[in-house]
Amino acid sequence: MDEQSPKTAPAWNLNSTDQSEGDDRDDERDHESTIQNGVPGDYTVMLSFGWVVRGAETGQDAINIAVSEVGRRVGAPGERTRSVDISVQQIGCHSCGTGSEALLLVSGTALVGLFLEIVVDAKDPATAEKIARREVGPHLDNTPLASVDIAPAD
């Protein structure tokens, strides 16, 4: 089973080693349009992580508890964050084409795959990722955060 990415195509993906050999001027123009006269722009940073839930009776209970717990911890936007959205990751089966939520529930303990979509005020994608991690990381103790996508905000 494979993790599916969000519906939007990444404009800035720092995890990708592939770089197109095409014309990079469009990317430069997009980046330049977010920074006008040295003023930072908004970037959307998508972070992926797993959340452990104990005492869940059903999969839906585990998802509800996970989203609630994470929401309480990262609730209010910080100084340089505009918004924080939580969503459940989706996984798909390549052989049958069906999808489901990223969830494993065994003996009342669940692991729920979540995405955090954070809109931050930054001058470039690398800085946006650092700001997002600094704003959210301390609220999610001992939780590894994987950067999935960084794109200029709409």
Side-chain angles (χ1 to χ4, degrees):
M1 294 175 102
D2 208 353
E3 182 178 306
Q4 293 181 350
S5 63
K7 294 178 184 174
T8 58
W12 295 89
N13 188 344
L14 299 180
N15 292 330
S16 175
T17 56
D18 293 344
Q19 291 191 359
S20 63
E21 296 178 16
D23 189 7
D24 290 335
R25 287 181 287 179
D26 290 333
D27 289 339
E28 289 171 9
R29 271 183 254 141
D30 289 342
H31 178 64
E32 288 170 4
S33 67
T34 62
I35 303 175
Q36 297 177 3
N37 302 326
V39 177
D42 287 342
Y43 284 90
T44 301
V45 179
M46 181 80 72
L47 299 174
S48 171
F49 64 100
W51 193 256
V52 176
V53 175
R54 288 177 175 75
E57 294 180 14
T58 66
Q60 191 60 51
D61 286 346
I63 289 170
N64 293 343
I65 292 167
V67 170
S68 176
E69 287 178 357
V70 171
R72 269 188 274 127
R73 290 175 183 236
V74 299
E79 185 177 312
R80 295 187 67 185
T81 57
R82 305 266 186 253
S83 67
V84 179
D85 292 324
I86 304 165
S87 59
V88 178
Q89 293 181 21
Q90 298 291 313
I91 54 176
C93 176
H94 291 292
S95 60
C96 65
T98 61
S100 65
E101 295 165 324
L103 167 72
L104 175 64
L105 176 62
V106 178
S107 299
T109 301
L111 176 63
V112 182
L114 297 174
F115 283 125
L116 279 181
E117 186 175 311
I118 308 159
V119 178
V120 298
D121 185 25
K123 64 181 180 178
D124 59 51
T127 304
E129 181 181 15
K130 288 178 187 176
I131 292 169
R133 287 178 180 273
R134 284 185 192 145
E135 293 283 336
V136 172
H139 302 288
L140 303 173
D141 297 330
N142 297 321
T143 303
L145 302 170
S147 180
V148 176
D149 184 30
I150 303 170
D154 295 333

